[in-house]
Amino acid sequence: MNNATLFALCCLIWGSTWIAITYQIGHTSETFAIALRYLLASACLGAYCVIKRLPLKLPLHVHIKMAAVGLFLYSLNYTLLYMAQAHIISALLALMSSCIIYINVVLRRWWLKEPIRKEVVIGATFGLLGIVCLFVPEFSKVSMDAALATGLAIAFVSLFCASTGNVISERILTSGTPVIQMNFYAMSYAMVLLFVTSLAMPGELIIPSSVEFYLSLFYLAVFGSVFAFGAYMKLLKQMGADKAAYVVLVYPMVALVISTFFEGYTWSVLSVTGVIIVLIGNAIAMGKVPRFMRRPPVTS
């Protein structure tokens, strides 16, 4: 698949997982729900590797890096993200998530010694402005209190963990490790960490009994984890963590389109303007500057 197809696949799937996640909340602990998700996802990837006879033997140093991806990207990121949702509205979370691009840019520069790409920073800024336009009505409901401050702090740590996982993933993939094997091991390590954490937490471990929980679990594991993360990791490898992270600015728009049909979301001039700004930012970040923004040639 080319980059555009991979990008679209990530946006379409992750834009729809927001609804699926709502069916996961309240049935058991967030940690256990995510552990079950990665149990199913890693089982699917492992089965694929066995059927296709893909090589699973990798060096120890690669396993250490993959375990780090499992810890930061698949475990801490998602667990903290679920926790943050209990304190702040999804609009604010979407706005904060857009900042991951800036964190990726800094970490890539510091850790991978990659140059800071000006078009990515400019595109991300356009995208951030577009997200603000999309969710302006929701921001009016926000009032600063201790719960909000807690949610913001948790969300920031979650984003930093996700960005750390992104950059480690880029290093693993660009060194030659195949995407499928990397995701298999990283999700397996995450699954073990999450199950251990679930068992160590105080209180009784609740096994969900709701059919909707397991239907949404299947969708999140197979589509949200196996397919979407597979596509995203290929983007990381081919484009870099800074450009690939622009997915987080685009898929909230997909979520709003879905919300229009299922939750009655009403579009306004401002929200449509926000979509246009995000798309312009995406074009800039990908090095495809719209014609009207290009400097006209000098004539004499």
Side-chain angles (χ1 to χ4, degrees):
M1 293 185 186
N2 59 32
N3 288 343
T5 303
L6 294 170
F7 194 93
L9 185 64
C10 289
C11 293
L12 290 173
I13 293 178
W14 282 339
S16 63
T17 55
W18 287 96
I19 292 180
I21 287 174
T22 61
Y23 293 106
Q24 295 280 289
I25 297 173
H27 295 281
T28 186
S29 69
E30 291 85 355
T31 306
F32 188 61
I34 302 169
L36 291 174
R37 173 176 175 174
Y38 288 128
L39 172 62
L40 181 55
S42 58
C44 291
L45 289 170
Y48 182 84
C49 290
V50 172
I51 293 171
K52 292 294 184 178
R53 297 183 178 180
L54 301 180
L56 289 172
K57 187 176 181 180
L58 297 170
L60 177 60
H61 70 90
V62 176
H63 275 278
I64 293 172
K65 293 184 180 74
M66 292 186 297
V69 173
L71 172 63
F72 288 106
L73 181 59
Y74 294 138
S75 300
L76 289 176
N77 170 39
Y78 271 88
T79 301
L80 293 172
L81 200 63
Y82 277 43
M83 291 172 62
Q85 283 183 308
H87 299 284
I88 59 179
I89 61 175
S90 57
L92 194 55
L93 201 56
L95 180 62
M96 289 196 66
S97 296
S98 63
C99 297
I100 193 175
I101 300 177
Y102 298 110
I103 303 175
N104 281 1
V105 166
V106 173
L107 287 183
R108 286 182 87 242
R109 177 59 184 161
W110 171 67
W111 199 346
L112 303 183
K113 309 304 179 185
E114 295 287 347
I116 295 176
R117 294 188 271 199
K118 182 172 65 175
E119 69 273 16
V120 174
V121 177
I122 296 173
T125 304
F126 268 83
L128 190 64
L129 178 60
I131 292 294
V132 171
C133 292
L134 275 170
F135 294 107
V136 159
E138 296 298 317
F139 295 141
S140 62
K141 303 174 185 177
V142 176
S143 58
M144 180 57 72
D145 55 22
L148 177 62
T150 300
L152 292 174
I154 294 172
F156 178 79
V157 176
S158 168
L159 294 177
F160 188 81
C161 289
S163 186
T164 301
N166 281 338
V167 176
I168 297 174
S169 297
E170 183 178 350
R171 169 169 281 190
I172 295 171
L173 295 170
T174 53
S175 67
T177 303
V179 170
I180 293 176
Q181 288 94 315
M182 194 210 76
N183 267 343
F184 165 67
Y185 280 116
M187 291 183 185
S188 296
Y189 286 128
M191 178 262 295
V192 172
L193 287 169
L194 290 164
F195 270 126
V196 170
T197 303
S198 300
L199 293 172
M201 291 175 65
E204 182 182 357
L205 184 63
I206 301 173
I207 306 298
S209 58
S210 170
V211 174
E212 65 182 20
F213 175 89
Y214 290 102
L215 289 175
S216 60
L217 178 69
F218 176 83
Y219 183 79
L220 289 169
V222 176
F223 292 92
S225 295
V226 174
F227 291 131
F229 264 114
Y232 183 70
M233 289 301 172
K234 286 187 177 181
L235 283 176
L236 278 179
K237 182 178 182 179
Q238 295 166 190
M239 300 171 61
D242 52 350
K243 287 190 175 184
Y246 210 93
V247 168
V248 304
L249 289 172
V250 177
Y251 76 72
M253 299 190 304
V254 176
L256 289 181
V257 172
I258 295 173
S259 178
T260 303
F261 296 99
F262 290 92
E263 300 174 336
Y265 176 81
T266 304
W267 290 82
S268 64
V269 174
L270 192 60
S271 58
V272 173
T273 302
V275 169
I276 295 172
I277 294 174
V278 171
L279 293 177
I280 291 174
N282 183 60
I284 294 172
M286 300 306 160
K288 300 176 181 179
V289 182
R291 288 185 179 180
F292 71 86
M293 296 184 66
R294 294 175 184 168
R295 183 177 297 177
V298 178
T299 59
S300 56

